[in-house]
Amino acid sequence: MMAAIVMKCTPPKPSVESIRLAIISSSFSGRWMSSSFSAARTYRPGIVASRNQRIANAHRRAKPLLEVIKGMTGATVREMANALNEAGYRASRGGPVTYNTVTRALARAGLEAPIMPRPKKPTKPKSRKSIRARARRYEVFRTPEYAYTSLFDYCPDWFVGHGFDPAAGDGRMIREIIQRGNPGPHFVNDIRDEELATLSDWGQATISDYLTMGDPPVCNFMVTNPPFTKAVEFVQKARAHVSGPICILQSTRWQSTQKRSEWLRTAGLALVLNLPRRPQWEVDSGDVVKNNVMDFAWYIFLPGYDGRPEMDWLVDNAANPDRAGCHFGDG
């Protein structure tokens, strides 16, 4: 008996190149049979077609929408789109009808989209971010109490005799000096007529522009918060009729310009006292301007002083009549 010989044949393993070739050929044949290259279908969304084909098909798909849109006289484009969506109409590719769908359909039909004026939204007042803008809005702002009481605590001997505030506002700094036991008489001045009634309670009150005042009062000290752009002129004028300290509240950047720096070296500036808290300016309505981003300091000018200024900080424990700063200009 003859034994049957069975041989097992293993098919050869396909190479990478043959697999890649098979994928390319199958992909190309499928695309050829089902795409715009087929003679049975000249256009298929998502497959490249000629420009004329795309225009013709766009007009054809927009035709049902146009028939409805033409009858929607007086409606805005947005109202047309909402009405078409509610009626079940869809855009050419199956999506919802949008603002652009309606405007394109109208353009293809040679129609203009109706332009309706949009109702104006109530405008909010512009935010007042800067201190200067807030000051213009309220017309005046007041120096908070902690900005000057720390100065009076620092060296009470400076504030003896007759005082003067040429930009007094409501006279609060001179009022504080009176309440601390110095009855004066003192002098208060402001440029605003509205301040006269209040100022009269705290000294000999005048209403005028200090820089044009012909006969300013002779006094022993001056303490004031002048306008930023006029602080130099205030000091120069005060040196002619103030026999003691001239105390000016200004921002720390006031000392930084080239021209002002040269002037400060020879103006008798004896001491710069930095405020540890940024002043939050108060207004008569009771509001507080909380967005002050500048640091402030008191600049103390003394008659006859020709040295370099010293610097200190008006912290809570700064009160000390024996400190060197209180004796600038002595003997």
Side-chain angles (χ1 to χ4, degrees):
M1 186 174 181
M2 245 175 145
I5 301 175
V6 180
M7 297 183 65
K8 188 176 180 181
C9 295
T10 305
K13 187 176 181 181
S15 66
V16 175
E17 288 298 325
S18 62
I19 294 173
R20 186 180 303 163
L21 208 58
I23 292 173
I24 293 173
S25 62
S26 62
S27 173
F28 179 78
S29 61
R31 181 180 176 85
W32 176 266
M33 296 299 295
S34 62
S35 70
S36 60
F37 295 101
S38 173
R41 193 171 184 180
T42 58
Y43 178 81
R44 180 186 177 192
I47 303 299
V48 176
S50 69
R51 182 174 181 274
N52 291 336
Q53 286 175 337
R54 293 198 301 271
I55 294 173
N57 280 283
H59 281 280
R60 177 175 53 80
R61 292 193 305 272
K63 193 172 182 180
L65 289 178
L66 278 173
E67 297 300 327
V68 181
I69 290 172
K70 287 178 181 178
M72 303 173 71
T73 57
T76 64
V77 174
R78 186 67 63 192
E79 291 170 346
M80 291 179 186
N82 293 337
L84 289 168
N85 284 318
E86 291 174 1
Y89 287 89
R90 309 296 287 173
S92 59
R93 297 198 178 185
V97 178
T98 64
Y99 185 96
N100 290 335
T101 306
V102 177
T103 54
R104 284 196 295 263
L106 290 170
R108 291 187 186 105
L111 303 175
E112 291 186 2
I115 300 175
M116 302 295 289
R118 294 184 179 180
K120 291 185 177 180
K121 296 181 180 179
T123 56
K124 296 181 180 179
K126 294 182 180 180
S127 62
R128 307 282 181 158
K129 293 185 177 181
S130 70
I131 296 300
R132 200 173 298 276
R134 291 295 295 270
R136 284 195 293 268
R137 178 183 177 189
Y138 292 107
E139 294 184 350
V140 64
F141 59 91
R142 315 291 189 187
T143 307
E145 181 179 349
Y146 58 81
Y148 53 84
T149 53
S150 56
L151 172 68
F152 301 156
D153 292 337
Y154 184 86
C155 187
D157 291 345
W158 284 340
F159 308 101
V160 176
H162 308 305
F164 178 45
D165 187 347
D170 59 3
R172 56 181 59 192
M173 286 193 278
I174 294 297
R175 177 186 63 196
E176 178 68 22
I177 291 173
I178 293 173
Q179 293 174 349
R180 288 173 177 249
N182 179 3
H186 302 291
F187 306 93
V188 285
N189 176 77
D190 199 82
I191 201 169
R192 300 174 70 244
D193 295 333
E194 297 88 339
E195 307 288 5
L196 182 59
T198 305
L199 289 178
S200 299
D201 296 334
W202 310 117
Q204 299 182 25
T206 54
I207 300 295
S208 67
D209 182 352
Y210 170 61
L211 296 179
T212 61
M213 186 181 290
D215 189 19
V218 177
C219 53
N220 302 109
F221 66 88
M222 187 174 88
V223 56
T224 190
N225 178 10
F228 181 86
T229 57
K230 298 181 179 180
V232 171
E233 289 82 353
F234 268 58
V235 174
Q236 290 174 331
K237 187 177 183 69
R239 293 171 70 177
H241 67 95
V242 179
S243 61
I246 302 169
C247 307
I248 302 292
L249 179 63
Q250 285 293 300
S251 71
T252 53
R253 69 178 185 176
W254 182 67
Q255 58 184 300
S256 302
T257 65
Q258 179 69 31
K259 183 177 180 180
R260 196 178 295 126
S261 299
E262 294 175 357
W263 173 79
L264 286 170
R265 288 171 62 91
T266 59
L269 178 61
L271 195 62
V272 178
L273 300 175
N274 296 284
L275 291 175
R277 295 173 58 186
R278 290 174 178 170
Q280 296 182 358
W281 310 109
E282 302 170 2
V283 293
D284 293 340
S285 65
D287 295 339
V288 176
V289 182
K290 296 182 179 180
N291 55 351
N292 188 5
V293 295
M294 293 187 293
D295 296 304
F296 275 72
W298 283 98
Y299 296 83
I300 313 301
F301 297 84
L302 294 175
Y305 183 79
D306 57 0
R308 291 289 177 262
E310 294 189 10
M311 181 178 291
D312 205 347
W313 286 261
L314 294 175
V315 293
D316 293 339
N317 59 353
N320 183 0
D322 296 328
R323 67 176 59 255
C326 287
H327 304 288
F328 276 126
D330 290 355

